[in-house]
Amino acid sequence: MSHGSAKALATGPVGPIGATGATGPTGATGATGATGPMGTVTVSGSAIIDFGPVPGKNITSVTVTGQTNILNTSNIYIFMMSDSTVSNSLGHNSEEHMFVPIKLTAGNIVEGISFTIYAETEFRLTSTFKVRWLWI
């Protein structure tokens, strides 16, 4: 018994692509996803620390109020810049802001209200210095 022989099929070139059909209707809008977390809030400003008149002192502090979003967990940064001159005649100039060694510390956070800047130096200072702050 013999089996038939297979014949190779001949194929021609591919024909042109047919027309695209009509676009269907747009589906219903899906539900809105959950709101993501709030981004980091950074608040900044400046304050004046005052070591008082002669004979002066080596420790002082100032309370920064109006901080409606500050939390007990906020990180506070305090620093001086050489351009932070005080505008009145009792303040220190930009060079004194650069070179006077003043240790600045933040503390006493009252949530939604204020925080305190503490300034300490080994010298007995007089008058005022401008400090800058920011908190996250």
Side-chain angles (χ1 to χ4, degrees), residues 92-114:
H92 292 277
N93 64 33
S94 63
E95 287 82 15
E96 292 167 318
H97 276 78
M98 284 191 295
F99 299 117
V100 174
I102 298 174
K103 177 184 174 186
L104 300 168
T105 308
N108 192 33
I109 297 173
V110 179
E111 222 172 82
I113 298 175
S114 65

PDB file of all heavy atoms in Angstrom, residues 92-114:
ATOM      1  N   HIS A  92      25.991  93.405  64.999  1.00  0.00           N
ATOM      2  CA  HIS A  92      27.345  93.048  64.585  1.00  0.00           C
ATOM      3  C   HIS A  92      27.432  92.991  63.070  1.00  0.00           C
ATOM      4  O   HIS A  92      26.477  92.619  62.394  1.00  0.00           O
ATOM      5  CB  HIS A  92      27.745  91.717  65.220  1.00  0.00           C
ATOM      6  CG  HIS A  92      27.909  91.821  66.702  1.00  0.00           C
ATOM      7  ND1 HIS A  92      29.073  92.286  67.279  1.00  0.00           N
ATOM      8  CD2 HIS A  92      27.061  91.557  67.719  1.00  0.00           C
ATOM      9  CE1 HIS A  92      28.935  92.284  68.591  1.00  0.00           C
ATOM     10  NE2 HIS A  92      27.722  91.850  68.887  1.00  0.00           N
ATOM     11  N   ASN A  93      28.625  93.313  62.545  1.00  0.00           N
ATOM     12  CA  ASN A  93      28.807  93.344  61.098  1.00  0.00           C
ATOM     13  C   ASN A  93      28.998  91.941  60.514  1.00  0.00           C
ATOM     14  O   ASN A  93      29.045  90.953  61.250  1.00  0.00           O
ATOM     15  CB  ASN A  93      29.969  94.271  60.725  1.00  0.00           C
ATOM     16  CG  ASN A  93      31.293  93.781  61.256  1.00  0.00           C
ATOM     17  OD1 ASN A  93      31.536  92.585  61.361  1.00  0.00           O
ATOM     18  ND2 ASN A  93      32.161  94.717  61.591  1.00  0.00           N
ATOM     19  N   SER A  94      29.149  91.873  59.189  1.00  0.00           N
ATOM     20  CA  SER A  94      29.225  90.571  58.522  1.00  0.00           C
ATOM     21  C   SER A  94      30.471  89.789  58.929  1.00  0.00           C
ATOM     22  O   SER A  94      30.416  88.565  59.042  1.00  0.00           O
ATOM     23  CB  SER A  94      29.159  90.733  57.005  1.00  0.00           C
ATOM     24  OG  SER A  94      30.266  91.473  56.536  1.00  0.00           O
ATOM     25  N   GLU A  95      31.592  90.463  59.170  1.00  0.00           N
ATOM     26  CA  GLU A  95      32.799  89.749  59.601  1.00  0.00           C
ATOM     27  C   GLU A  95      32.604  89.112  60.974  1.00  0.00           C
ATOM     28  O   GLU A  95      33.031  87.995  61.222  1.00  0.00           O
ATOM     29  CB  GLU A  95      34.019  90.700  59.630  1.00  0.00           C
ATOM     30  CG  GLU A  95      34.525  91.080  58.263  1.00  0.00           C
ATOM     31  CD  GLU A  95      33.730  92.212  57.625  1.00  0.00           C
ATOM     32  OE1 GLU A  95      32.962  92.905  58.338  1.00  0.00           O
ATOM     33  OE2 GLU A  95      33.869  92.408  56.404  1.00  0.00           O
ATOM     34  N   GLU A  96      31.975  89.835  61.881  1.00  0.00           N
ATOM     35  CA  GLU A  96      31.714  89.273  63.210  1.00  0.00           C
ATOM     36  C   GLU A  96      30.769  88.082  63.114  1.00  0.00           C
ATOM     37  O   GLU A  96      30.919  87.104  63.847  1.00  0.00           O
ATOM     38  CB  GLU A  96      31.145  90.355  64.133  1.00  0.00           C
ATOM     39  CG  GLU A  96      32.176  91.421  64.461  1.00  0.00           C
ATOM     40  CD  GLU A  96      31.580  92.648  65.112  1.00  0.00           C
ATOM     41  OE1 GLU A  96      30.498  93.102  64.679  1.00  0.00           O
ATOM     42  OE2 GLU A  96      32.209  93.152  66.055  1.00  0.00           O
ATOM     43  N   HIS A  97      29.821  88.131  62.175  1.00  0.00           N
ATOM     44  CA  HIS A  97      28.932  86.986  61.978  1.00  0.00           C
ATOM     45  C   HIS A  97      29.704  85.767  61.469  1.00  0.00           C
ATOM     46  O   HIS A  97      29.352  84.639  61.763  1.00  0.00           O
ATOM     47  CB  HIS A  97      27.805  87.329  61.003  1.00  0.00           C
ATOM     48  CG  HIS A  97      26.646  88.009  61.635  1.00  0.00           C
ATOM     49  ND1 HIS A  97      26.655  89.340  61.956  1.00  0.00           N
ATOM     50  CD2 HIS A  97      25.434  87.539  62.002  1.00  0.00           C
ATOM     51  CE1 HIS A  97      25.500  89.671  62.503  1.00  0.00           C
ATOM     52  NE2 HIS A  97      24.737  88.595  62.552  1.00  0.00           N
ATOM     53  N   MET A  98      30.765  85.997  60.706  1.00  0.00           N
ATOM     54  CA  MET A  98      31.553  84.884  60.181  1.00  0.00           C
ATOM     55  C   MET A  98      32.438  84.256  61.246  1.00  0.00           C
ATOM     56  O   MET A  98      32.620  83.043  61.253  1.00  0.00           O
ATOM     57  CB  MET A  98      32.455  85.354  59.026  1.00  0.00           C
ATOM     58  CG  MET A  98      31.741  85.570  57.734  1.00  0.00           C
ATOM     59  SD  MET A  98      32.879  85.807  56.337  1.00  0.00           S
ATOM     60  CE  MET A  98      33.686  87.338  56.749  1.00  0.00           C
ATOM     61  N   PHE A  99      33.032  85.072  62.133  1.00  0.00           N
ATOM     62  CA  PHE A  99      34.115  84.569  62.963  1.00  0.00           C
ATOM     63  C   PHE A  99      33.818  84.393  64.445  1.00  0.00           C
ATOM     64  O   PHE A  99      34.569  83.710  65.129  1.00  0.00           O
ATOM     65  CB  PHE A  99      35.351  85.469  62.788  1.00  0.00           C
ATOM     66  CG  PHE A  99      35.836  85.479  61.374  1.00  0.00           C
ATOM     67  CD1 PHE A  99      35.835  86.644  60.625  1.00  0.00           C
ATOM     68  CD2 PHE A  99      36.262  84.304  60.770  1.00  0.00           C
ATOM     69  CE1 PHE A  99      36.270  86.642  59.311  1.00  0.00           C
ATOM     70  CE2 PHE A  99      36.693  84.293  59.455  1.00  0.00           C
ATOM     71  CZ  PHE A  99      36.703  85.462  58.718  1.00  0.00           C
ATOM     72  N   VAL A 100      32.787  84.999  64.965  1.00  0.00           N
ATOM     73  CA  VAL A 100      32.491  84.836  66.393  1.00  0.00           C
ATOM     74  C   VAL A 100      31.952  83.417  66.607  1.00  0.00           C
ATOM     75  O   VAL A 100      30.972  83.018  65.985  1.00  0.00           O
ATOM     76  CB  VAL A 100      31.478  85.892  66.881  1.00  0.00           C
ATOM     77  CG1 VAL A 100      31.074  85.620  68.323  1.00  0.00           C
ATOM     78  CG2 VAL A 100      32.076  87.278  66.763  1.00  0.00           C
ATOM     79  N   PRO A 101      32.606  82.638  67.475  1.00  0.00           N
ATOM     80  CA  PRO A 101      32.176  81.249  67.683  1.00  0.00           C
ATOM     81  C   PRO A 101      30.962  81.156  68.619  1.00  0.00           C
ATOM     82  O   PRO A 101      31.106  81.218  69.835  1.00  0.00           O
ATOM     83  CB  PRO A 101      33.411  80.582  68.298  1.00  0.00           C
ATOM     84  CG  PRO A 101      34.105  81.701  69.012  1.00  0.00           C
ATOM     85  CD  PRO A 101      33.824  82.945  68.215  1.00  0.00           C
ATOM     86  N   ILE A 102      29.814  81.034  68.008  1.00  0.00           N
ATOM     87  CA  ILE A 102      28.576  80.908  68.782  1.00  0.00           C
ATOM     88  C   ILE A 102      27.972  79.540  68.486  1.00  0.00           C
ATOM     89  O   ILE A 102      27.763  79.176  67.332  1.00  0.00           O
ATOM     90  CB  ILE A 102      27.567  82.016  68.406  1.00  0.00           C
ATOM     91  CG1 ILE A 102      28.151  83.393  68.720  1.00  0.00           C
ATOM     92  CG2 ILE A 102      26.249  81.807  69.149  1.00  0.00           C
ATOM     93  CD1 ILE A 102      27.285  84.547  68.254  1.00  0.00           C
ATOM     94  N   LYS A 103      27.716  78.778  69.540  1.00  0.00           N
ATOM     95  CA  LYS A 103      27.061  77.474  69.399  1.00  0.00           C
ATOM     96  C   LYS A 103      25.557  77.716  69.428  1.00  0.00           C
ATOM     97  O   LYS A 103      25.035  78.315  70.367  1.00  0.00           O
ATOM     98  CB  LYS A 103      27.472  76.549  70.539  1.00  0.00           C
ATOM     99  CG  LYS A 103      26.779  75.209  70.502  1.00  0.00           C
ATOM    100  CD  LYS A 103      27.154  74.373  71.709  1.00  0.00           C
ATOM    101  CE  LYS A 103      26.336  73.100  71.729  1.00  0.00           C
ATOM    102  NZ  LYS A 103      26.565  72.339  72.963  1.00  0.00           N
ATOM    103  N   LEU A 104      24.860  77.248  68.402  1.00  0.00           N
ATOM    104  CA  LEU A 104      23.406  77.429  68.300  1.00  0.00           C
ATOM    105  C   LEU A 104      22.720  76.084  68.439  1.00  0.00           C
ATOM    106  O   LEU A 104      23.121  75.103  67.810  1.00  0.00           O
ATOM    107  CB  LEU A 104      23.056  78.059  66.947  1.00  0.00           C
ATOM    108  CG  LEU A 104      23.669  79.429  66.681  1.00  0.00           C
ATOM    109  CD1 LEU A 104      23.494  79.819  65.226  1.00  0.00           C
ATOM    110  CD2 LEU A 104      23.070  80.472  67.605  1.00  0.00           C
ATOM    111  N   THR A 105      21.669  76.040  69.257  1.00  0.00           N
ATOM    112  CA  THR A 105      20.920  74.818  69.495  1.00  0.00           C
ATOM    113  C   THR A 105      19.434  75.152  69.486  1.00  0.00           C
ATOM    114  O   THR A 105      19.036  76.216  69.959  1.00  0.00           O
ATOM    115  CB  THR A 105      21.280  74.209  70.878  1.00  0.00           C
ATOM    116  OG1 THR A 105      22.689  74.078  70.969  1.00  0.00           O
ATOM    117  CG2 THR A 105      20.626  72.865  71.079  1.00  0.00           C
ATOM    118  N   ALA A 106      18.636  74.240  68.959  1.00  0.00           N
ATOM    119  CA  ALA A 106      17.177  74.421  68.974  1.00  0.00           C
ATOM    120  C   ALA A 106      16.568  73.481  70.000  1.00  0.00           C
ATOM    121  O   ALA A 106      17.086  72.396  70.251  1.00  0.00           O
ATOM    122  CB  ALA A 106      16.594  74.142  67.601  1.00  0.00           C
ATOM    123  N   GLY A 107      15.459  73.896  70.570  1.00  0.00           N
ATOM    124  CA  GLY A 107      14.772  73.045  71.533  1.00  0.00           C
ATOM    125  C   GLY A 107      13.442  73.639  71.932  1.00  0.00           C
ATOM    126  O   GLY A 107      12.973  74.599  71.329  1.00  0.00           O
ATOM    127  N   ASN A 108      12.863  73.053  72.965  1.00  0.00           N
ATOM    128  CA  ASN A 108      11.601  73.516  73.524  1.00  0.00           C
ATOM    129  C   ASN A 108      10.526  73.729  72.450  1.00  0.00           C
ATOM    130  O   ASN A 108       9.906  74.779  72.368  1.00  0.00           O
ATOM    131  CB  ASN A 108      11.813  74.799  74.336  1.00  0.00           C
ATOM    132  CG  ASN A 108      10.597  75.142  75.166  1.00  0.00           C
ATOM    133  OD1 ASN A 108       9.883  74.249  75.626  1.00  0.00           O
ATOM    134  ND2 ASN A 108      10.336  76.416  75.358  1.00  0.00           N
ATOM    135  N   ILE A 109      10.318  72.701  71.628  1.00  0.00           N
ATOM    136  CA  ILE A 109       9.284  72.786  70.592  1.00  0.00           C
ATOM    137  C   ILE A 109       7.919  72.711  71.256  1.00  0.00           C
ATOM    138  O   ILE A 109       7.648  71.800  72.044  1.00  0.00           O
ATOM    139  CB  ILE A 109       9.413  71.642  69.570  1.00  0.00           C
ATOM    140  CG1 ILE A 109      10.751  71.730  68.829  1.00  0.00           C
ATOM    141  CG2 ILE A 109       8.248  71.672  68.581  1.00  0.00           C
ATOM    142  CD1 ILE A 109      11.032  70.546  67.925  1.00  0.00           C
ATOM    143  N   VAL A 110       7.068  73.669  70.945  1.00  0.00           N
ATOM    144  CA  VAL A 110       5.674  73.639  71.379  1.00  0.00           C
ATOM    145  C   VAL A 110       4.877  73.404  70.104  1.00  0.00           C
ATOM    146  O   VAL A 110       4.803  74.287  69.238  1.00  0.00           O
ATOM    147  CB  VAL A 110       5.245  74.949  72.076  1.00  0.00           C
ATOM    148  CG1 VAL A 110       3.782  74.863  72.478  1.00  0.00           C
ATOM    149  CG2 VAL A 110       6.136  75.219  73.271  1.00  0.00           C
ATOM    150  N   GLU A 111       4.363  72.197  69.961  1.00  0.00           N
ATOM    151  CA  GLU A 111       3.704  71.792  68.719  1.00  0.00           C
ATOM    152  C   GLU A 111       2.656  72.799  68.259  1.00  0.00           C
ATOM    153  O   GLU A 111       1.800  73.215  69.025  1.00  0.00           O
ATOM    154  CB  GLU A 111       3.056  70.405  68.906  1.00  0.00           C
ATOM    155  CG  GLU A 111       3.265  69.532  67.703  1.00  0.00           C
ATOM    156  CD  GLU A 111       2.811  68.110  67.925  1.00  0.00           C
ATOM    157  OE1 GLU A 111       1.602  67.846  67.797  1.00  0.00           O
ATOM    158  OE2 GLU A 111       3.694  67.259  68.198  1.00  0.00           O
ATOM    159  N   GLY A 112       2.777  73.200  66.985  1.00  0.00           N
ATOM    160  CA  GLY A 112       1.829  74.135  66.393  1.00  0.00           C
ATOM    161  C   GLY A 112       1.990  75.574  66.845  1.00  0.00           C
ATOM    162  O   GLY A 112       1.179  76.427  66.492  1.00  0.00           O
ATOM    163  N   ILE A 113       3.050  75.869  67.624  1.00  0.00           N
ATOM    164  CA  ILE A 113       3.182  77.223  68.170  1.00  0.00           C
ATOM    165  C   ILE A 113       4.584  77.806  67.990  1.00  0.00           C
ATOM    166  O   ILE A 113       4.754  78.853  67.383  1.00  0.00           O
ATOM    167  CB  ILE A 113       2.785  77.260  69.664  1.00  0.00           C
ATOM    168  CG1 ILE A 113       1.317  76.869  69.798  1.00  0.00           C
ATOM    169  CG2 ILE A 113       3.039  78.639  70.254  1.00  0.00           C
ATOM    170  CD1 ILE A 113       0.833  76.755  71.217  1.00  0.00           C
ATOM    171  N   SER A 114       5.611  77.156  68.557  1.00  0.00           N
ATOM    172  CA  SER A 114       6.923  77.812  68.617  1.00  0.00           C
ATOM    173  C   SER A 114       8.052  76.820  68.858  1.00  0.00           C
ATOM    174  O   SER A 114       7.828  75.634  69.104  1.00  0.00           O
ATOM    175  CB  SER A 114       6.929  78.841  69.742  1.00  0.00           C
ATOM    176  OG  SER A 114       6.779  78.183  71.001  1.00  0.00           O
TER     177      SER A 114
END
